C-alpha cells in the first residue's frame, strides 16, 4: 500500500511539473510574437502571378527568414531556408515564399485534387478578425495546386471553404517559389483605418516529413490561432464586402436500365450568389441547385436497426457548415443531407404497389447567412425549400395512379455564438425547424407536420487554453397527426412499444412528442498528457431526425478518455501516442446498455512508417433496439483487436494494410475484416489508388423477424445465426494536365451476402446463458414460396427467407477544367448498377454476375461562370 501511494504521488508530481513547464513555454511564445510590417505597392502595377517574382513590386519590402521546425524537432532551426515577403494594395494581398532546397531534385511537386495535402507545400493563414480563434488559409503545393481552408479554432479546419484567389509556383536549381494574390473580398475583417491581423506562414518538406514555421507553434499547444505572429501596416483598404454570382447551365441525357434507347435530352440552369451584406456577414443564395458532379455515396449493407449516416458532399451545404456545429457525442441537430433527401414512403400502401419513387427531392431554393463580427458574434442561418414529389402506384388489376410521396417542405436551422474574455468563454444556442405542407392524408399519416429543436451551450478555457469545460443542452418537439406521432413512438429512435419498459408507453392519441438531452465534459488538451471526462443523457422522447441525426434516445451515460503523446524523436521512433478510454450507459429504466473499455497505441518511426494497434472489450449488456420494439436482448461480451500499418506516403509507391478481429462469447461467432490500400504515382501528373476490403462475420443471434400469432395475437421474436460476407474494392485514377485541368475516374464494386441458419425463438431475452436466452425451432423450407415454416405452441408460423445476395457497382468519370478563376467546365459520365436476390449465393459465385446487370448511365455537360461586382 505504501509503494502504491508513493507511485501515485510521483505520477501527480510529474503531471504538475509537465503542466507547469508547458504553461511557461506558452507564456513565453505569447510574449515574444514575431511581427511583419508590410508595405503598400503604391502606383506600381499588380504582379503577374506566375511564380517567377520578376515583377517590379517584389523590389519593395523586407524578406523575413529564420523559420523554426515544428516537427520533427520542435524548436530547432529548419533544415532548409525559407524566405517570405508580404505586400498589398487597396484590393489584394500579395505573398511570395521562397523555399530553398539543398537537393532540389528531391522536391515533391506532385499534382493532386484541390484541397489535397500532397507533396511539398507552403502557405499563409490570416486571422483577419484578430479574434485569436479563426483564420483564412491559402496554400500552394510545389506543383501549383491550391489548398484553401478556414481555421475554426482548437485544431479544427474547414477544407470545404473554397475562395477565389490566384496562385502559381516555379522551380529552379536552388528552390521552389510560391506567389499568391489574395483578394481582400475573400476574407473578413472590420472596417478600420489600420489593421492588425494574426499571421502564420508555414512550409512542409514531404521527404523529411518536416514542417517549418515563421512563428513557432509547438505540436503540444492546445490551439493554433492565438499563437499566430502578427501582420501590421495594412492601411486604407477597401471594405471586405463581396457580391459574387455563379450561374450554371446544364444538359444531360440518361439511359436507364431496361430502356433500349436514351431518355429525352434534359436542359437545366440555376444560379448561386454570394452577397456580403456587411463586412462581417455573407448571404449565400441558390436557385435550383444542381449536384450532378458529386461523387456517389459508398455502398453499404446495413443489418442494424440504425440509420446509415452519409457525409455531406454538396458544395453549397458544405461551405460554412462548421458554424452550425452542435455535436453531442455523434448526435447533431443539423444534418444538411435532410434537405433534398429521398422521400420517406413505403413501397406499398393498402392494395397499391408504389414504384418510380425519386431518389431525392428537388430543392427549389436555398439561402444561407453566415459570418462573425469583430466583437465575436457568430451567426449562421440556413433555409431550404423542397418541392412535392410524385410516384406511380399500381393495383392488382394493373390500374395506375399518381401518388404524392413527398410534400412541399421547408427546412430551417440556425446557430449563434458569442465570445467573451478574449475568446476563452463562448456562449451559444441553436434552433431548427421543419414544416411539411400537404393535403394528402397518406402523407400526413407518415411524417410529422412540424419538428422543432433548440439548444444552449457554454465552452470555457483557462490556463492558456490547456483546460476546458463544456456543457450542451438540447430539446425537441414533434407535432402532427396521431398516426404520424404513433409511427415516431414505435420507430427505431424510441421503441415505446417495448413490453419490458414500464417507464414508457405508447399513446395512440398523442399529437406531439417531446424530449431533451445534454452533455457535460471537462478536460485538458494541451501538452503531452490529455484527458476528457464526460457525462450525457438523452430522454426517451428526444428526436432530431427531421432536421438532424440521432441514433437513439433513452440513455444516461458517462465516459473517460486519457492520452499521452510523445513528439520528441529518438534513435528509431519519431513519435507515439497511447490512448485509454471507457464508457458506460444505462437506459432510463436502469438497464445497462453499454459497457466498454479500449486501448489504442499509435507509433511512427524515423523512416516515416506508422503502425496503429488497438484492443477493446465490450462487457455483456442489453440491447434495447435489436428486437425492433421487442424486449431488451442480452448481447454477449466481445473482444476487439485491430492492427493498421502504413508505409512512407511521400514515396511514389505507398500503401497500408490492416485488419480487425472481434470474438463474441459463443463459439464460432466472430468478425474478421482485412483491407489493403495502394497508391502509385508512375509520373508526377498521374495518381492511381485502390482500396480492397473483405469481411467475414459468423454471428449467432442476428435479428430475423417479429411474427404475430394468429390465435393469440402475441409476438414471437425470431433470430438466427448468420454467415455475412462482404467484398469491396474502390479504384481511383486521376490524371492532371495542370492544376486547373484534370480527368478523374472513380469506380467501386461491392458485394454483400448473408446465409441464415439455426433459427431460434427468443425465450428469456435477458438471460446471460445462451441456451436459456434462445430456444431452437425446427424449420421447413418451401422452395416454391421461398419461405420457412415451423410449429411452436399450438400454431404454425411462417416467415420469408431472410437470405440475401446484394451486389452494386457505382462509378463516374469527370473531366474538370477551371478555365477562369472560379469558373469551371464539367463533363461527367455517371454509371450505377445493382442487383438483389432473397437467396444466398457465395461472393465467389456472383463476382462475374455484376457485369451482366443492366445499369443506368448519365452523361452530363455543366458550365458555370463566376463573376463579381
Amino acid at each position: 500500500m505504501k509503494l502504491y501511494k508513493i507511485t501515485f504521488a510521483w505520477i501527480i508530481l510529474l503531471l504538475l511539473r509537465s503542466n507547469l513547464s508547458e504553461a511557461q513555454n506558452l507564456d513565453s511564445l505569447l510574449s515574444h510574437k514575431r511581427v511583419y510590417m508590410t508595405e503598400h505597392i503604391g502606383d506600381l502595377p499588380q504582379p503577374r502571378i506566375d511564380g517567377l517574382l520578376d515583377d517590379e513590386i517584389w523590389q519593395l519590402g523586407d524578406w523575413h527568414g529564420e523559420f523554426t521546425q515544428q516537427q520533427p524537432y520542435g524548436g530547432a532551426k529548419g533544415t532548409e531556408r525559407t524566405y517570405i515577403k508580404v505586400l498589398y494594395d487597396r484590393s489584394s494581398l500579395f505573398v511570395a515564399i521562397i523555399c530553398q532546397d539543398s537537393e532540389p531534385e528531391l522536391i515533391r511537386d506532385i499534382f493532386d485534387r484541390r484541397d489535397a495535402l500532397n507533396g511539398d507545400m507552403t502557405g499563409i493563414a490570416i486571422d483577419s478578425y484578430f479574434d485569436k480563434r479563426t483564420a483564412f488559409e491559402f496554400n500552394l503545393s510545389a506543383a501549383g495546386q491550391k489548398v484553401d481552408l478556414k481555421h475554426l479554432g482548437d485544431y479544427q479546419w474547414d477544407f470545404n471553404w473554397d475562395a477565389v484567389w490566384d496562385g502559381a509556383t516555379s522551380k529552379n536549381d536552388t528552390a521552389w517559389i510560391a506567389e499568391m494574390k489574395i483578394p481582400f473580398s475573400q476574407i473578413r475583417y472590420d472596417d478600420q483605418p489600420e489593421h492588425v491581423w494574426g499571421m502564420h506562414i508555414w512550409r512542409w518538406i514531404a521527404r523529411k516529413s518536416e514542417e517549418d514555421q515563421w512563428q513557432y507553434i509547438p505540436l503540444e499547444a492546445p490551439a493554433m490561432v492565438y499563437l499566430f505572429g502578427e501582420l501590421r501596416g495594412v492601411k486604407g483598404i477597401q471594405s471586405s464586402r463581396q457580391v459574387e454570382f455563379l450561374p450554371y447551365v446544364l444538359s444531360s441525357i440518361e439511359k436507364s436500365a431496361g430502356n433500349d434507347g436514351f431518355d429525352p435530352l434534359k436542359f437545366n440552369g440555376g444560379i448561386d450568389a454570394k452577397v456580403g451584406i456587411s463586412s462581417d456577414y455573407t448571404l449565400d443564395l441558390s436557385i435550383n441547385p444542381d449536384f450532378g458532379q458529386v461523387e456517389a455515396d459508398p455502398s453499404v449493407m446495413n443489418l442494424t436497426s440504425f440509420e446509415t449516416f452519409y457525409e455531406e458532399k454538396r458544395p453549397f451545404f458544405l461551405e460554412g457548415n462548421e458554424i452550425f456545429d452542435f455535436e453531442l457525442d455523434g448526435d447533431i441537430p443539423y444534418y444538411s443531407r435532410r434537405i433534398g433527401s429521398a422521400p420517406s414512403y413505403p413501397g406499398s400502401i393498402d392494395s397499391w404497389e408504389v414504384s418510380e419513387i425519386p431518389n431525392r427531392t428537388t430543392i427549389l431554393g436555398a439561402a444561407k447567412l453566415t459570418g462573425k463580427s469583430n466583437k465575436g458574434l457568430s451567426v449562421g442561418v440556413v433555409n431550404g425549400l423542397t418541392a412535392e414529389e410524385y410516384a406511380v402506384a399500381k393495383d392488382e388489376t394493373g390500374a395506375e395512379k399518381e401518388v404524392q410521396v413527398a410534400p412541399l417542405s421547408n427546412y430551417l436551422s440556425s446557430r449563434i455564438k458569442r465570445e467573451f474574455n478574449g475568446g476563452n468563454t463562448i456562449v451559444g444556442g441553436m434552433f431548427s425547424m421543419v414544416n411539411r405542407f400537404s393535403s394528402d392524408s397518406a402523407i400526413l399519416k407518415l411524417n410529422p407536420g412540424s419538428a422543432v429543436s433548440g439548444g444552449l451551450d457554454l465552452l470555457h478555457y483557462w490556463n492558456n487554453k490547456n483546460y476546458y469545460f463544456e456543457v450542451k443542452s438540447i430539446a425537441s418537439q414533434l407535432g402532427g397527426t396521431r398516426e404520424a406521432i404513433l409511427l415516431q413512438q414505435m420507430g427505431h429512435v424510441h421503441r415505446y412499444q417495448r413490453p419490458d419498459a414500464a417507464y414508457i408507453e405508447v399513446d395512440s392519441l398523442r399529437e406531439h412528442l417531446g424530449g431533451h438531452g445534454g452533455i457535460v465534459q471537462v478536460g485538458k488538451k494541451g501538452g503531452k498528457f490529455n484527458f476528457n471526462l464526460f457525462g450525457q443523457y438523452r430522454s426517451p422522447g428526444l428526436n432530431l431526425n427531421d432536421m438532424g441525426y440521432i441514433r437513439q434516445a433513452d440513455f444516461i451515460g458517462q465516459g473517460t478518455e486519457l492520452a499521452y503523446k510523445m513528439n520528441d524523436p529518438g534513435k528509431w521512433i519519431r513519435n507515439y501516442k497511447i490512448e485509454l478510454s471507457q464508457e458506460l450507459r444505462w437506459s432510463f429504466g436502469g438497464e445497462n446498455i453499454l459497457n466498454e473499455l479500449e486501448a489504442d497505441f499509435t507509433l511512427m518511426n524515423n523512416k516515416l512508417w506508422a503502425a496503429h494497434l488497438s484492443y477493446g472489450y465490450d462487457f455483456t449488456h442489453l440491447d434495447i433496439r435489436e428486437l425492433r420494439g421487442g424486449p431488451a436482448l442480452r448481447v454477449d461480451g466481445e473482444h476487439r483487436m485491430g492492427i493498421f500499418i502504413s508505409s512512407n506516403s511521400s514515396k511514389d509507391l505507398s500503401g497500408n494494410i490492416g485488419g480487425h478481429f472481434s470474438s463474441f462469447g459463443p463459439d464460432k461467432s466472430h468478425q474478421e475484416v482485412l483491407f489493403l490500400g495502394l497508391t502509385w504515382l508512375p509520373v508526377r501528373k498521374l495518381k492511381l489508388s485502390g482500396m480492397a476490403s473483405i469481411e467475414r462475420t459468423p454471428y449467432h443471434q442476428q435479428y430475423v423477424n417479429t411474427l404475430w400469432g394468429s390465435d393469440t395475437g402475441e409476438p414471437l421474436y425470431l433470430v438466427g445465426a448468420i454467415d455475412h460476407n462482404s467484398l469491396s474494392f474502390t479504384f481511383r485514377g486521376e490524371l492532371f494536365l495542370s492544376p486547373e485541368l484534370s480527368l478523374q475516374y472513380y469506380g467501386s464494386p461491392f458485394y454483400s451476402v448473408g446465409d441464415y441458419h439455426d433459427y431460434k425463438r427468443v425465450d428469456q431475452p435477458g438471460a446471460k446463458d445462451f441456451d436459456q436466452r434462445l430456444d431452437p425451432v425446427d424449420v421447413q423450407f418451401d422452395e416454391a414460396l421461398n419461405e420457412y415454416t415451423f410449429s411452436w405452441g399450438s400454431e404454425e408460423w411462417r416467415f420469408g427467407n431472410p437470405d440475401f445476395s446484394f451486389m452494386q457497382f457505382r462509378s463516374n468519370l469527370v473531366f474538370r477544367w477551371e478555365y477562369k478563376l472560379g469558373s469551371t467546365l464539367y463533363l461527367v459520365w455517371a454509371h450505377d448498377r445493382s442487383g438483389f436476390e432473397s437467396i444466398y449465393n457465395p461472393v465467389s459465385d456472383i463476382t462475374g454476375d455484376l457485369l451482366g446487370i443492366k445499369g443506368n448511365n448519365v452523361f452530363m455537360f455543366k458550365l458555370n461562370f463566376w463573376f463579381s461586382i
Side-chain angles (χ1 to χ4, degrees):
M1 185 67 178
K2 185 176 181 181
L3 178 61
Y4 166 79
K5 291 182 178 179
I6 294 174
T7 303
F8 183 75
W10 268 105
I11 292 174
I12 296 297
L13 180 60
L14 288 172
L15 284 170
L16 291 174
R17 290 183 61 185
S18 173
N19 293 339
L20 179 61
S21 175
E22 292 160 3
Q24 290 173 341
N25 290 338
L26 292 176
D27 285 338
S28 176
L29 291 171
L30 287 168
S31 59
H32 295 87
K33 287 190 174 184
R34 297 188 73 177
V35 175
Y36 188 96
M37 291 297 299
T38 185
E39 289 189 20
H40 194 285
I41 67 173
D43 296 329
L44 295 177
Q46 291 188 353
R48 179 182 179 184
I49 304 301
D50 53 15
L52 298 177
L53 305 186
D54 53 2
D55 299 276
E56 192 175 353
I57 75 161
W58 297 117
Q59 304 302 315
L60 303 173
D62 297 324
W63 290 100
H64 271 213
E66 299 180 359
F67 274 53
T68 303
Q69 281 190 51
Q70 185 201 46
Q71 52 179 304
Y73 297 97
K77 288 185 178 181
T79 60
E80 307 289 350
R81 294 185 177 183
T82 309
Y83 299 95
I84 65 167
K85 183 176 285 190
V86 182
L87 304 171
Y88 76 101
D89 67 4
R90 188 172 182 272
S91 63
S92 302
L93 197 70
F94 306 100
V95 181
I97 307 175
I98 300 176
C99 302
Q100 291 189 347
D101 202 306
S102 57
E103 298 176 288
E105 69 279 3
L106 298 181
I107 293 172
R108 297 282 293 172
D109 51 346
I110 302 301
F111 284 79
D112 211 328
R113 287 172 291 174
R114 180 166 180 159
D115 292 339
L117 298 170
N118 199 350
D120 285 43
M121 302 201 71
T122 191
I124 180 172
I126 300 294
D127 174 15
S128 52
Y129 287 118
F130 206 51
D131 62 0
K132 312 296 179 69
R133 280 186 54 81
T134 56
F136 304 90
E137 184 168 324
F138 305 84
N139 308 301
L140 287 171
S141 72
Q145 185 62 63
K146 293 177 181 177
V147 177
D148 44 16
L149 59 113
K150 281 198 286 188
H151 289 246
L152 311 178
D154 307 342
Y155 290 106
Q156 299 179 58
W157 300 275
D158 177 18
F159 282 86
N160 300 309
W161 176 71
D162 285 333
V164 180
W165 57 286
D166 203 0
T169 60
S170 67
K171 182 180 175 182
N172 56 41
D173 292 339
T174 61
W176 69 277
I177 300 168
E179 185 179 20
M180 307 179 195
K181 174 188 173 182
I182 304 169
F184 289 129
S185 64
Q186 301 302 300
I187 61 178
R188 297 289 170 266
Y189 49 85
D190 194 30
D191 292 332
Q192 296 179 1
E194 182 173 356
H195 298 270
V196 177
W197 293 339
M199 185 175 78
H200 172 67
I201 299 181
W202 68 288
R203 174 192 180 181
W204 178 257
I205 306 173
R207 68 182 184 276
K208 302 178 181 180
S209 198
E210 175 184 329
E211 180 170 338
D212 300 335
Q213 300 176 338
W214 174 71
Q215 170 69 60
Y216 174 53
I217 301 175
L219 275 175
E220 294 82 8
M224 282 189 66
V225 181
Y226 82 112
L227 293 173
F228 278 12
E230 293 182 0
L231 176 66
R232 295 177 177 267
V234 179
K235 304 176 184 178
I237 62 175
Q238 64 187 21
S239 167
S240 69
R241 294 188 186 186
Q242 61 184 138
V243 180
E244 302 174 3
F245 297 94
L246 189 68
Y248 79 88
V249 292
L250 178 147
S251 65
S252 64
I253 188 168
E254 180 174 356
K255 186 179 185 303
S256 303
N259 290 350
D260 294 331
F262 286 89
D263 295 340
L265 185 65
K266 297 179 181 178
F267 294 94
N268 204 350
I271 188 170
D272 292 344
K274 191 182 294 288
V275 180
I277 59 176
S278 72
S279 61
D280 303 319
Y281 299 102
T282 301
L283 178 64
D284 290 273
L285 301 169
S286 185
I287 299 175
N288 193 28
D290 179 83
F291 310 112
Q293 77 279 10
V294 173
E295 187 174 286
D297 291 316
S299 302
V300 296
M301 174 57 70
N302 187 353
L303 298 180
T304 73
S305 62
F306 302 110
E307 176 190 7
T308 301
F309 182 89
Y310 292 107
E311 297 291 339
E312 179 62 88
K313 297 181 180 180
R314 301 170 297 178
F316 176 83
F317 293 105
L318 279 171
E319 186 172 328
N321 210 15
E322 80 286 342
I323 199 170
F324 297 94
D325 177 50
F326 197 91
E327 182 183 0
L328 296 90
D329 193 27
D331 298 331
I332 52 176
Y334 172 56
Y335 179 32
S336 56
R337 291 198 58 149
R338 298 296 183 202
I339 305 175
S341 61
S344 175
Y345 202 86
S348 62
I349 185 166
D350 297 329
S351 60
W352 296 84
E353 293 293 325
V354 184
S355 61
E356 300 181 27
I357 299 177
N359 58 9
R360 66 183 182 187
T361 52
T362 301
I363 301 175
L364 299 174
K368 180 169 56 179
L369 173 68
T370 57
K372 182 177 182 178
S373 74
N374 65 323
K375 295 183 179 179
L377 178 64
S378 298
V379 175
V381 181
V382 63
N383 194 87
L385 181 67
T386 62
E388 298 176 344
E389 298 291 347
Y390 293 86
V392 176
K394 294 182 180 180
D395 65 8
E396 296 177 352
T397 67
E400 293 186 0
K401 68 176 182 178
E402 189 178 60
V403 293
Q404 186 182 96
V405 294
L408 178 71
S409 303
N410 192 77
Y411 297 82
L412 170 71
S413 186
S414 61
R415 180 80 161 103
I416 186 170
K417 293 186 288 187
R418 176 66 188 273
E419 298 175 7
F420 301 93
N421 189 26
N424 288 317
T425 303
I426 305 169
V427 179
M430 60 72 51
F431 175 78
S432 293
M433 179 171 61
V434 177
N435 290 294
R436 299 182 175 94
F437 310 95
S438 178
S439 58
D440 190 315
S441 60
I443 288 289
L444 297 176
K445 292 177 180 179
L446 292 173
N447 299 290
S450 66
V452 176
S453 63
L456 298 172
D457 64 328
L458 167 69
L459 175 62
H460 178 67
Y461 298 100
W462 70 95
N463 192 20
N464 283 328
K465 297 186 182 292
N466 274 283
Y467 295 88
Y468 63 90
F469 170 79
E470 183 176 32
V471 58
K472 291 181 180 178
S473 63
I474 195 165
S476 69
Q477 180 83 356
L478 304 180
T481 64
R482 294 175 180 178
E483 294 86 353
I485 298 304
L486 179 62
L487 286 177
Q488 293 294 323
Q489 293 178 70
M490 301 176 68
H492 74 274
V493 174
H494 308 288
R495 301 298 187 194
Y496 274 24
Q497 71 272 38
R498 284 176 47 212
D500 58 343
Y503 59 98
I504 50 178
E505 63 178 358
V506 173
D507 184 350
S508 60
L509 301 180
R510 273 189 174 185
E511 296 182 351
H512 295 89
L513 181 66
H516 44 85
I519 186 170
V520 178
Q521 53 188 347
V522 61
K524 176 182 180 293
K525 60 179 180 178
K528 295 182 177 181
F529 294 95
N530 293 286
F531 70 88
N532 181 48
L533 308 175
F534 65 90
Q536 60 178 329
Y537 82 98
R538 313 284 187 272
S539 77
L542 181 67
N543 194 317
L544 308 174
N545 279 338
D546 288 83
M547 190 67 196
Y549 178 88
I550 181 173
R551 283 174 59 87
Q552 72 176 71
D554 189 7
F555 72 84
I556 304 171
Q558 62 82 217
T560 306
E561 299 168 348
L562 304 172
Y564 173 80
K565 56 184 177 181
M566 190 284 293
N567 291 315
D568 302 319
K571 186 176 182 180
W572 294 288
I573 298 175
R574 182 184 178 107
N575 56 57
Y576 66 82
K577 185 176 183 180
I578 302 171
E579 298 173 280
L580 303 173
S581 64
Q582 65 82 213
E583 186 171 3
L584 274 167
R585 286 186 184 181
W586 300 267
S587 72
F588 269 57
E591 301 140 312
N592 177 214
I593 58 175
L594 179 67
N595 185 3
E596 65 179 9
L597 300 172
E598 184 154 344
D600 294 89
F601 177 69
T602 305
L603 176 145
M604 177 179 284
N605 67 13
N606 287 326
K607 297 293 185 180
L608 304 184
W609 283 60
H612 176 82
L613 303 173
S614 66
Y615 171 78
Y617 183 69
D618 286 0
F619 294 87
T620 179
H621 59 274
L622 296 173
D623 189 330
I624 60 177
R625 297 290 184 267
E626 178 63 15
L627 295 183
R628 277 61 165 178
L633 179 66
R634 172 70 57 182
V635 176
D636 298 288
E638 175 189 2
H639 294 272
R640 301 190 308 269
M641 291 162 282
I643 182 170
F644 176 86
I645 298 173
S646 60
S647 68
N648 186 345
S649 61
S650 67
K651 301 294 185 181
D652 289 340
L653 179 63
S654 62
N656 54 70
I657 187 171
H660 171 86
F661 177 79
S662 293
S663 174
F664 301 93
D667 293 338
K668 300 180 181 180
S669 191
H670 54 85
Q671 182 184 61
E672 300 152 356
V673 181
L674 299 174
F675 56 87
L676 171 67
L678 291 173
T679 300
W680 181 37
L681 285 76
V683 294
R684 57 193 290 266
K685 293 188 175 183
L686 177 62
K687 180 180 179 182
L688 305 174
S689 62
M691 172 66 76
S693 69
I694 182 169
E695 176 183 339
R696 178 172 177 265
T697 308
Y699 185 59
H700 59 283
Q701 58 175 37
Q702 178 67 46
Y703 172 79
V704 174
N705 209 337
T706 300
L707 309 177
W708 296 87
S710 57
D711 295 336
T712 64
E714 294 295 321
L716 183 149
Y717 302 100
L718 192 69
V719 301
I722 183 176
D723 290 327
H724 181 205
N725 301 307
S726 296
L727 175 67
S728 66
F729 178 73
T730 299
F731 172 78
R732 297 179 188 273
E734 300 167 297
L735 174 63
F736 299 89
L737 303 178
S738 74
E740 295 79 27
L741 188 65
S742 65
L743 184 66
Q744 303 174 22
Y745 175 78
Y746 161 88
S748 181
F750 174 79
Y751 302 87
S752 184
V753 300
D755 179 20
Y756 286 83
H757 52 92
D758 294 340
Y759 296 99
K760 298 177 177 66
R761 177 185 65 87
V762 178
D763 186 15
Q764 301 178 42
K768 292 186 177 181
D769 187 293
F770 178 74
D771 293 328
Q772 293 180 359
R773 189 189 318 153
L774 305 176
D775 180 29
V777 294
D778 185 16
V779 298
Q780 303 296 321
F781 182 60
D782 187 328
E783 188 171 354
L785 297 176
N786 197 29
E787 69 176 17
Y788 288 93
T789 61
F790 67 93
S791 297
W792 182 77
S794 60
E795 295 193 52
E796 183 176 77
W797 306 77
R798 294 177 176 270
F799 64 97
N801 184 3
D803 293 351
F804 61 87
S805 298
F806 175 71
M807 46 189 160
Q808 187 171 59
F809 178 69
R810 289 174 168 173
S811 68
N812 57 29
L813 180 66
V814 180
F815 172 82
R816 180 184 183 275
W817 177 30
E818 188 176 350
Y819 62 93
K820 174 183 173 293
L821 282 179
S823 305
T824 311
L825 166 69
Y826 294 97
L827 297 175
V828 180
W829 168 44
H831 173 83
D832 74 88
R833 61 179 68 187
S834 62
F836 181 88
E837 290 184 285
S838 294
I839 58 174
Y840 168 73
N841 289 303
V843 172
S844 58
D845 290 352
I846 63 173
T847 50
D849 295 348
L850 190 57
L851 299 176
I853 299 174
K854 291 185 177 180
N856 301 311
N857 293 278
V858 178
F859 300 90
M860 184 187 74
F861 166 86
K862 180 179 179 181
L863 178 74
N864 60 37
F865 180 80
W866 178 90
F867 65 95
S868 64
I869 58 176

